[in-house]
Amino acid sequence: MAFPKNFLWGGATAANQCEGAFLDDGKGLSVPDMLLGGDVNTPRTFCPTIEKNRFYPSHQAIDMYHHYKEDIALFAEMGFKCFRFSINWARIFPNGDDADPNEAGLKFYDNLIDECKKYGIEPLVTLCHYEIPFAIVKKYHGFYNRKTIDLFIKYVTTCFERWKDKVKYWLTFNEINMTLMSKQVGNLYGVGIIQDEDLNRSEPCKFDELKDVPQERIQALHNEFVASAKAVIEGHKINPEFKIGCMLCHVTRYPLTPNPKDMLETQRIDHLFNDLCADVQVRGAYPFFAKKMYQDMNIDTAFMDDEEDKKILRAGTVDFYTFSFYMTNCVTVDENAERINDSMIGGVKNPYLKSSDWGWQIDPDGLRWTLNKLASRYPNTPIMVVENGFGAFDKVEDDGAIHDDYRISYFREHIRAMRDAVNDGVPLIGYTTWGPIDLVSAGTGQYAKRYGFIYVNRHDDGTGDFSRSRKNSFFWYKKVISSNGENLE
Ligand code: BGP
């Protein structure tokens, strides 16, 4: 057995990390526009105002807004069957609560979608990849306010209506579980709740200095579940053929030792970070462990008992499960164990695995394990890996070539692992690599953390002419796709 015949091979991006053009054609500010860059040892900083002398990587990103034709032509050259991208909510509703959508913003995505269709590339659209309009954060306190659910539904139904005959696959919220996994980042990126004291700062502050109010964060996450379920319900009314999915950041964890205490702690973390959000979205209700887990975190769980919300969650279950997979890590109750240097995901080092320069542990077998776990947890649910990739420093040779063999070997092993999982019987329908073209890193705001098959001449000091070129991995992935995953050499 091999990959299914219509397997969706492709790549994935996010508007805020590639489009740039941050105020063009009536776009409003969105949360990522308020972030400055960092690096592996320096978390990004949040700046509540736009200051002329500071560098905000998303403002120009890789300027895909003006290069989309060239970029999609390159994706088509690699043979993409599918392109995952997000719509920037603030392009469509610049202030979040505008009476009418911004026609120029809609037009940009008309063009982008038509360009994909021209090459027979299936669009996979993420409705919210952290791009909450900043005006909603300031005026309504993000998803903590139920009003934001209505604003979201107005935005997504505008998209569903506009592209009901052109887009079949949709995802509601990117990595919805980041709100549980990474407190401050979840606040900012995920649910868009920032306290007044942070909004009024005169100097940028680090992610980890942002104030976290767990009750608000968890309530806001609940409101996102309701918003996601309502989107599924409304989407199916507009076109019953739509396939609307959830999207999780699945970080598989192994107990560091056979100590039963490590085993129990691993299960607890797995339940909290990997299972809770997906259970709500795939099965339509909070799992049995959620209430106690939240109460242990001193959360008032009254929102979980709202009968109307329960009905919505039950009716709005997703059509497929998608996730990002970059790494696995270990869990132990031993406080002296060596931790991974990553402020967002953390975890303990696995002595059997190698890491990227950003400390992300490389584990293709973990992908096979994860796919098998998901297939048994969510039977009859198609699965798609919508992010997987290798962030690395690339070197451009004198002749312009980029020999990114490390990236090829990362992908080769992960695709092999997926093929094994398909042979195991996992209903895997597609694979979109993260960053088929270099883009701005979400975690660090760097350009130097490159993921692409396509190199973009743009650098962290703001230099570069945005020109594109093919890396070795470009030609390799093209072979993989044309052989439907048979030829990995
Ligand atoms: C995921 C996000 C993406 C992407 C990716 C790689 O969490 O959905 O937006 O950026 O991670 O992470 P980074 O950009 O930090 O290397």
Side-chain angles (χ1 to χ4, degrees):
M1 253 175 76
F3 290 101
K5 202 162 139 260
N6 298 320
F7 195 73
L8 292 168
W9 294 100
T13 61
N16 73 86
Q17 291 168 262
C18 63
E19 283 176 5
F22 84 114
L23 291 177
D24 284 34
D25 296 331
K27 179 182 164 294
L29 292 171
S30 70
V31 171
D33 292 325
M34 317 313 292
L35 298 178
L36 308 173
D39 60 39
V40 67
N41 297 311
T42 327
R44 299 187 75 173
T45 43
F46 163 74
C47 186
T49 49
I50 303 295
E51 313 282 339
K52 274 214 168 61
N53 54 346
R54 298 193 198 279
F55 185 61
Y56 303 77
S58 74
H59 291 192
Q60 288 178 291
I62 58 160
D63 198 31
M64 197 184 259
Y65 196 77
H66 298 107
H67 288 74
Y68 70 93
K69 286 193 180 173
E70 180 185 351
D71 295 342
I72 293 171
L74 286 164
F75 298 157
E77 190 182 325
M78 277 187 279
F80 277 24
K81 313 283 180 221
C82 177
F83 174 38
R84 173 179 174 229
F85 59 88
S86 69
I87 291 178
N88 194 320
W89 183 351
R91 259 191 218 294
I92 311 300
F93 287 97
N95 301 298
D97 58 0
D98 312 71
D100 297 307
N102 171 30
E103 183 56 30
L106 290 166
K107 190 77 197 119
F108 169 69
Y109 295 105
D110 283 345
N111 295 341
L112 186 72
I113 291 166
D114 287 347
E115 202 63 19
C116 290
K117 293 279 183 190
K118 183 168 122 189
Y119 297 102
I121 296 174
E122 187 76 52
L124 166 59
V125 174
T126 314
L127 290 157
C128 188
H129 197 126
Y130 311 137
E131 293 109 354
I132 299 176
F134 194 51
I136 292 185
V137 173
K138 289 201 286 193
K139 190 162 168 196
Y140 299 103
H141 209 43
F143 270 94
Y144 181 55
N145 188 334
R146 305 262 315 183
K147 166 89 180 159
T148 303
I149 301 177
D150 302 335
L151 299 175
F152 179 74
I153 294 303
K154 183 164 172 187
Y155 153 65
V156 301
T157 50
T158 302
C159 298
F160 289 153
E161 287 287 359
R162 182 91 172 193
W163 299 298
K164 60 174 181 287
D165 300 320
K166 294 186 174 176
V167 175
K168 176 176 171 195
Y169 295 98
W170 304 87
L171 303 176
T172 53
F173 292 97
N174 184 66
E175 294 188 339
I176 195 164
N177 57 328
M178 273 306 270
T179 305
L180 288 173
M181 201 175 279
S182 179
K183 298 189 276 278
Q184 287 85 356
V185 176
N187 274 342
L188 189 64
Y189 273 2
V191 288
I193 42 173
I194 305 173
Q195 307 299 325
D196 285 348
E197 58 201 85
D198 287 323
L199 284 173
N200 293 323
R201 281 174 186 261
S202 53
E203 281 299 308
C205 69
K206 293 194 179 125
F207 271 165
D208 47 9
E209 288 166 4
L210 283 163
K211 187 164 180 211
D212 177 41
V213 183
Q215 181 68 44
E216 292 187 10
R217 176 160 47 87
I218 305 287
Q219 171 77 55
L221 177 63
H222 173 80
N223 293 345
E224 270 193 355
F225 292 150
V226 174
S228 174
K230 280 190 165 178
V232 174
I233 296 166
E234 294 307 315
H236 286 155
K237 279 189 211 156
I238 291 168
N239 183 348
E241 298 298 313
F242 277 169
K243 300 290 175 209
I244 308 176
C246 59
M247 198 293 195
L248 280 289
C249 172
H250 198 292
V251 181
T252 296
R253 285 150 169 110
Y254 308 138
L256 184 67
T257 73
N259 178 350
K261 296 262 184 287
D262 281 359
M263 192 70 194
L264 272 175
E265 181 59 5
T266 306
Q267 185 178 56
R268 187 187 72 81
I269 295 193
D270 202 30
H271 271 163
L272 181 65
F273 293 138
N274 292 325
D275 301 335
L276 192 152
C277 298
D279 284 2
V280 173
Q281 294 186 289
V282 182
R283 294 172 167 171
Y286 279 94
F288 70 90
F289 53 81
K291 197 169 254 183
K292 161 86 169 48
M293 211 161 242
Y294 277 169
Q295 284 167 352
D296 287 349
M297 294 157 67
N298 292 321
I299 305 294
D300 174 356
T301 58
F303 59 84
M304 287 172 77
D305 299 318
D306 184 289
E307 290 307 321
E308 191 50 33
D309 282 1
K310 279 190 193 170
K311 250 192 257 162
I312 294 167
L313 296 181
R314 249 195 321 272
T317 54
V318 293
D319 301 311
F320 64 122
Y321 175 104
T322 80
F323 69 113
S324 62
F325 185 90
Y326 292 93
M327 69 191 103
T328 62
N329 63 32
C330 288
V331 172
T332 178
V333 290
D334 174 3
E335 285 174 2
N336 299 319
E338 195 186 349
R339 304 198 67 78
I340 294 167
N341 177 24
D342 180 297
S343 55
M344 289 202 199
I345 306 217
V348 168
K349 280 200 177 160
N350 183 331
Y352 294 94
L353 299 179
K354 295 208 173 81
S355 301
S356 77
D357 289 331
W358 280 262
W360 292 15
Q361 299 186 132
I362 305 163
D363 185 10
D365 289 332
L367 177 55
R368 180 179 179 184
W369 187 96
T370 304
L371 285 164
N372 272 274
K373 170 203 150 168
L374 294 170
S376 34
R377 192 169 184 94
Y378 307 117
N380 308 318
T381 307
I383 299 174
M384 186 160 172
V385 178
V386 293
E387 282 186 34
N388 172 240
F390 190 60
F393 296 106
D394 287 336
K395 179 164 179 277
V396 185
E397 305 294 340
D398 292 343
D399 63 357
I402 297 150
H403 303 299
D404 57 341
D405 299 345
Y406 36 88
R407 185 167 292 111
I408 293 175
S409 86
Y410 179 97
F411 282 124
R412 178 183 292 124
E413 295 311 315
H414 283 81
I415 294 173
R416 210 170 260 155
M418 288 194 306
R419 196 161 67 189
D420 290 340
V422 169
N423 279 327
D424 295 334
V426 172
L428 187 66
I429 59 166
Y431 177 65
T432 52
T433 66
W434 178 254
I437 182 166
D438 292 344
L439 34 65
V440 173
S441 155
T444 66
Q446 288 170 292
Y447 288 95
K449 190 179 186 186
R450 294 180 181 274
Y451 282 92
F453 304 120
I454 300 162
Y455 183 85
V456 178
N457 179 18
R458 174 73 172 166
H459 308 279
D460 292 318
D461 59 4
T463 61
D465 62 3
F466 297 104
S467 58
R468 277 62 169 150
S469 55
R470 297 163 183 81
K471 305 182 192 175
N472 282 8
S473 55
F474 180 99
F475 304 100
W476 177 83
Y477 195 46
K478 182 177 173 169
K479 265 192 318 201
V480 172
I481 298 179
S482 68
S483 65
N484 198 27
E486 283 298 304
N487 183 356
L488 300 179
E489 291 320 309

